[in-house]
Amino acid sequence: MNTTFQIREEVCRRQHQSSLRQSTMGTMKSLSAADVKITDGFWRQQMDLMEDVVIPFQEDKLHDRDEDSTSEPSGAIRNFRIAAGLEAGEYHGMVFQDSDVAKWLEAVAYSLMDRPDDQLQSRADEVIDLIGQAQHPDGYLNTYFTIKEPNKRWTNLRRDHELYCAGHMLEAAVAYYEATGRRKLLDIMIRMVDHIDQMFGPEEHKRKGYPGHEEIELALFRLYNITNDPKHFGLAKYFLDQRGQEPHYYEIEAAERGETQSDYVGVNHSYSQAHLPVRQQNTAEGHSVRAMYLFSAMADLAAHDDAKMAAACRTLWDNVVNRRMYVTGGVGSIAHGEAFTVDYDLPSDLAYTETCAAIGLAFWARRMLNLELNGEYADVMERALYNGVISGISQDGRKFFYVNPLAVWPDAAEHRHDHRHVKTERQGWFGCACCPPNLARAVASIGHYMYASNDEQLAIHLYGSSKTQVEFAGTPVAVTQTTQYPWDGSITIAIDPTQAVQFQLLLRCPGWAQQVKLLVNGEEQELQTILQSGYLVLERTWAPGDQVQLMLGMEPHWIYADPQIRAASGRVALQRGPIVYCLEEVDNGSNLDALVVPAGVECSVQTDNQRFPMPIPIIQFNVLREQWPTDGSPYSSQAPQTVIEEATAVPYFLWNNRGRGELTVWLRQQR
Amino acid sequence: MNTTFQIREEVCRRQHQSSLRQSTMGTMKSLSAADVKITDGFWRQQMDLMEDVVIPFQEDKLHDRDEDSTSEPSGAIRNFRIAAGLEAGEYHGMVFQDSDVAKWLEAVAYSLMDRPDDQLQSRADEVIDLIGQAQHPDGYLNTYFTIKEPNKRWTNLRRDHELYCAGHMLEAAVAYYEATGRRKLLDIMIRMVDHIDQMFGPEEHKRKGYPGHEEIELALFRLYNITNDPKHFGLAKYFLDQRGQEPHYYEIEAAERGETQSDYVGVNHSYSQAHLPVRQQNTAEGHSVRAMYLFSAMADLAAHDDAKMAAACRTLWDNVVNRRMYVTGGVGSIAHGEAFTVDYDLPSDLAYTETCAAIGLAFWARRMLNLELNGEYADVMERALYNGVISGISQDGRKFFYVNPLAVWPDAAEHRHDHRHVKTERQGWFGCACCPPNLARAVASIGHYMYASNDEQLAIHLYGSSKTQVEFAGTPVAVTQTTQYPWDGSITIAIDPTQAVQFQLLLRCPGWAQQVKLLVNGEEQELQTILQSGYLVLERTWAPGDQVQLMLGMEPHWIYADPQIRAASGRVALQRGPIVYCLEEVDNGSNLDALVVPAGVECSVQTDNQRFPMPIPIIQFNVLREQWPTDGSPYSSQAPQTVIEEATAVPYFLWNNRGRGELTVWLRQQR
């Protein structure tokens, strides 16, 4: 039909690359999760899973009330009880065990925004009371040092995660205040921030330290958004500015401890992104979660009119997204140091791609969108959220992947010491349980990633059935998305101002979309002229009852990789909408590397009701299976024979919900 | 031309699989290296390198006389001086440092067989005198325990390599006796064997131990071949029979030390092939060098009419060669434990494929040929010797690979902790310097691998310019091979009995040979009828001046792998004669995985005089290089573009003689 407008991907990409910086559009601010109601569909299911299953499950875990004796105990709440003097005992867990409680509390806050629950809130208040009891009179709060090493506070910033834990608790405090209006945790954490501010800073009598694991920087920017207190902004900025400066703080503190820097895993400081001042960093190095949290805070600071920082953010973004990111939105190519390695080194089976790192990439992308509106940031945010983030959790909400590889051959992986970080099935809980509560808080606040606005514009970054309200020139505007996205590409957006009002509605046009159609009140729009940096810009006076319909083509498409990504050479991935698909052994038999996708093969999409608890579009296509004619030598001058089979691809994030088996994202392709 | 007889590989393979066990041919015995003179060509060059460079270089290293301060000191001779009381000092090196001296002495013995040298012999005699001085009155000989832990002799067979060192010194003693007729080292080692025999054995008062690292078993069989002393045979057999029996000796000795078995790397005993009695083992497990030495000794014992052991050897052979061996003849798929993993797990970049393991595979193959004449054993022996063995040494004889991967991307490998065992350039010497002297003794005794005989038959397993003499019915027969093999496929064999005599000449018909032609005194032979188990059997009365000409087609051929070898899926290797070729960055630019071999591409072979010190046939062919059109996203729905380039392949064993760079053996193929 001739009214359908086709946008080839390269058009989208070119548009993406011409940033909106040259345009007249101002920067934006994400709407709060509290202001966005997820009403239905994909993210509603995910949030229900978090609120019905994951948050209660984690509450039990943190309190060690769960009955699963096979998974590792947490001890996190008990640590606070011991630190508060309410119980005798030994500290249990990692040095950053407190942060599990913080992340859970933050998830609870989002849950309460979504679904007020007096009982849950009162239990959370009890935990907050306990946290207050564990706080020292000077504001210091950290159960590890309170219980185990009271004389070693602040002596090993590089390793000991005190600022990291403070950062997470601060994020929880801000979110809980936003959700409930209750200040108790916020006040606790403002006292802790005061304490930190007395310890660290540019003034001569203060120490020149900064966290080994970044996190408090972005938390302080969140605090500043509430308090507007320059001290809070200044401390965050100090931590960023001081990072990687000479003389090097980690060496100073190591010398004070009587150690050398070689006593630590990241001897060259890049493990903690402290090898250079942050504005001079131009490649993503070291621990990938730390890097994502740092870059997020850098983007926060850059949005406060720091052009050099903005340039550093863009350079690092280019390095990560164009050279060090998996097609699933995962980052981190190696287990040792949970780290980035070198450009294009993205092995499928040895990937680390920690769930938390993909979450961190979404954090960063959302902030980059506030720094400058460009669909590329939203594309990456969406890629991470729908793939490498939620692959971290099982469909029943009770099992988790810390590591999310793109190819798994369980028989080998379970036998290979160099694959020991790869679990071939999700686990119930881990000693280092950072990912489960991180997932809970990320998914429970998904509304925060969907919309952004300023005085003249409303941008929709992510599609999903939801409601929000914005205001332009004093006129409230109700916005309602109705869609079965990402399974279906049709999105209806009701724009309902209380009276006619002019503003720009910016609809993200995903980079993957090869067919796009846009109707405003039933009238098809010419897209080429309104596409700016990956967004379709509808500038008009909106009237009550206006309706926008966006239709994104949902044809499955094969993704090729730059041949410099050697692990994907000769291979293709399969994507439909934002969802990356994969092959699993349970659908396709063993040895997925014996399957070859013929050139130009047709894909058929069917809604499957059998494989998963909910209906899911699966993708089927013919493949050639290579077979070896002999039981003898595995080497021969005779090529393998091939037979035609039908392959079935399922969404990557759903893999391993049907038992142990092989996985592959990158499929061999005939070419 | 219609006289050329073509044998397709599958015919060869089928023939190979019908073993000679059903035939009337008896078992054979390898000719001694002392009885084979390597006169010219490939192995003459390799032996000259060993004798002119490697053996003197190693002599300097062992004496710490070398001037290369960058490589690790050896301390091996000095350990003997300290143990002998001639010098004060601390033991230096690995617990098995003595074995470096043993392997060097064994190489010296072969060198003296090849090229008598009074000065070298007298220096070796001095070392032997020193060894004698380090021996205890009770026969015990091991400098580590003499110097460092005199009270802990024989307390940790699993870990401490005492029997391993004894085995190597025993091999040296046998070889030195065979080379020079001098008994001193032999007598030293017979006293040590007597001491061991008093410690270990089935008798009630003896300990039920056996070595953690196998080696002494095959050495004892070599000793028995000289002494014919049933005690020597019996001790070897005891070590084999006792291995893996319950109650488990390693647990008994661990308990005596007050340790648990979990204090050791191989907690399930398979690391040392001690998880089951050897006749019940049917997969190759654990440390690959240990496995090869064990299986070699098992084949030695099997040849003494032990059918159950012979069956175990064949089962293990099938497992290794058909499911756990690289196309280079390397074995060992993982660095952790230097070990086998699971069937078909043969990653190119993470390969361990220790030089010593490929040497051990050649040891085992030669013994299997004596157990039963079957070309498959010789094919594997040749594959290992020309590829995974000699890749361990640089062309100047001064640098060595311990690990021999099939694909190297240096930028990533040097950055990845999981690749830290992979050196991207050969090294001068290592702390654990087992491979360099092992290479020296293997190459210096190459004649031992070429011929075997019994009363009625002479088999030629390997081709290379050489001379030997055998005797049939009392008639001496001079045999002279003249050939430029493996670079050229034409082999002339002069059979020159002093008078006419009947015997069978068996010429190996390599499994890779697709064109074979055989002339006897100029008369072409019909091959189909005389091909038995991979050997062409010429039964006739041979007369003085007879001449056989074997012509093996040397067309390069592409090798496909069983798709269960996932690392080679969609890929081909290139072989010419027995030589596996590879691509290097220096010839083909970076990113060898961007190159695709077109279907049906023609290869051209040219003799190259530039790349290496000697003329080498290189193979050239067109490839498609995939290119990515953009600097932006590495993921796109657009396929990479391709350009045609000419690729140059060089022999795998010669890789990294021209500096650091990428390597690949398995090339992507269009299919």
Side-chain angles (χ1 to χ4, degrees), chain A residues 2 16 27 35 53 101 113 161 164 183 264 282 308 375 392 435 504 522 527 571 586 630 632-633 658 660-661 668:
Chain A
N2 68 352
H16 280 188
T27 59
D35 296 329
V53 179
V101 176
M113 290 176 189
H161 289 69
Y164 169 84
R183 289 192 60 99
Y264 195 64
N282 50 31
K308 208 163 169 195
C435 298
Q504 281 186 348
L527 302 186
R571 292 173 181 258
V586 62
T630 165
S633 173
R658 292 170 294 157
R660 172 185 178 277
R668 288 177 54 198

Side-chain angles (χ1 to χ4, degrees), chain B residues 64-121:
Chain B
D64 292 308
R65 290 191 300 243
D66 66 310
E67 287 162 11
D68 176 6
S69 60
T70 61
S71 71
E72 302 184 45
S74 163
I77 291 291
R78 189 163 171 268
N79 288 339
F80 278 99
R81 291 184 52 80
I82 296 167
L86 302 174
E87 193 172 325
E90 291 296 311
Y91 181 87
H92 180 85
M94 316 293 282
V95 70
F96 46 83
Q97 207 79 345
D98 288 2
S99 66
D100 288 352
V101 177
K103 282 186 260 184
W104 175 78
L105 274 175
E106 190 183 344
V108 167
Y110 302 131
S111 174
L112 294 174
M113 290 176 189
D114 180 54
R115 187 200 284 183
D117 177 335
D118 289 345
Q119 291 191 326
L120 175 61
Q121 184 171 334

Side-chain angles (χ1 to χ4, degrees), chain B residues 210 239-246 248 273-283 294 298 308-309 312 316:
Chain B
Y210 47 88
F239 283 145
L240 292 174
D241 289 344
Q242 183 58 24
R243 190 165 209 90
Q245 300 288 353
E246 295 291 342
H248 204 288
Q273 300 76 45
H275 52 298
L276 281 174
V278 296
R279 289 173 185 79
Q280 297 171 32
Q281 295 186 24
N282 50 32
T283 55
L294 170 65
M298 287 167 65
K308 208 163 168 193
M309 190 64 97
L316 289 164

Side-chain angles (χ1 to χ4, degrees), chain A residues 361-427:
Chain A
L361 179 57
F363 290 169
W364 183 23
R366 189 187 61 71
R367 287 166 168 88
M368 291 302 287
L369 279 168
N370 287 345
L371 184 61
E372 56 181 348
L373 195 71
N374 188 316
E376 188 186 307
Y377 301 127
D379 282 354
V380 168
M381 182 170 80
E382 185 182 57
R383 182 176 292 283
L385 288 169
Y386 278 108
N387 302 290
V389 169
I390 55 173
S391 59
I393 185 167
S394 64
Q395 280 303 289
D396 67 3
R398 293 179 169 278
K399 288 187 286 182
F400 303 92
F401 276 136
Y402 192 104
V403 166
N404 296 275
L406 280 74
V408 177
W409 174 18
D411 289 350
E414 291 166 4
H415 215 92
R416 293 190 65 92
H417 193 259
D418 48 19
H419 284 59
R420 65 195 181 284
H421 61 291
V422 174
K423 303 304 171 204
T424 57
E425 301 210 63
R426 291 183 184 83
Q427 296 177 274

Side-chain angles (χ1 to χ4, degrees), chain A residues 156-164 209-217 243 249-250 253 264 269-274 287 290-291:
Chain A
N156 195 337
L157 291 198
R158 181 175 189 167
R159 189 192 65 192
D160 284 344
H161 289 69
E162 281 160 296
L163 292 172
Y164 169 84
Y210 47 87
H213 194 316
E214 305 90 329
E215 157 64 21
I216 194 167
E217 302 90 336
R243 188 164 211 91
Y249 182 75
Y250 295 158
E253 63 165 17
Y264 195 64
H269 299 312
S270 65
Y271 173 73
S272 301
Q273 299 77 46
H287 189 273
R290 294 175 197 228

Side-chain angles (χ1 to χ4, degrees), chain B residues 246-277:
Chain B
E246 295 291 342
H248 204 288
Y249 182 75
Y250 295 158
E251 288 163 25
I252 292 169
E253 63 164 18
E256 288 173 355
R257 295 190 306 269
E259 297 168 8
T260 64
Q261 57 155 317
S262 64
D263 297 339
Y264 195 63
V265 54
V267 290
N268 60 0
H269 299 312
S270 64
Y271 173 73
S272 301
Q273 300 76 45
H275 52 298
L276 281 174

Side-chain angles (χ1 to χ4, degrees), chain B residues 261-326:
Chain B
Q261 57 155 317
S262 64
D263 297 339
Y264 195 63
V265 54
V267 290
N268 60 0
H269 299 312
S270 64
Y271 173 73
S272 301
Q273 300 76 45
H275 52 298
L276 281 174
V278 296
R279 289 173 185 79
Q280 297 171 32
Q281 295 186 24
N282 50 32
T283 55
E285 301 296 338
H287 188 275
S288 56
V289 178
R290 295 176 196 226
M292 293 300 105
Y293 288 11
L294 170 65
F295 302 161
S296 294
M298 287 167 65
D300 281 336
L301 181 57
H304 288 88
D305 206 22
D306 185 332
K308 208 163 168 193
M309 190 64 97
C313 288
R314 285 184 202 107
T315 300
L316 289 164
W317 178 269
D318 174 65
N319 180 250
V320 170
V321 166
N322 293 331
R323 280 177 290 283
R324 300 188 177 194
M325 181 187 78
Y326 286 86

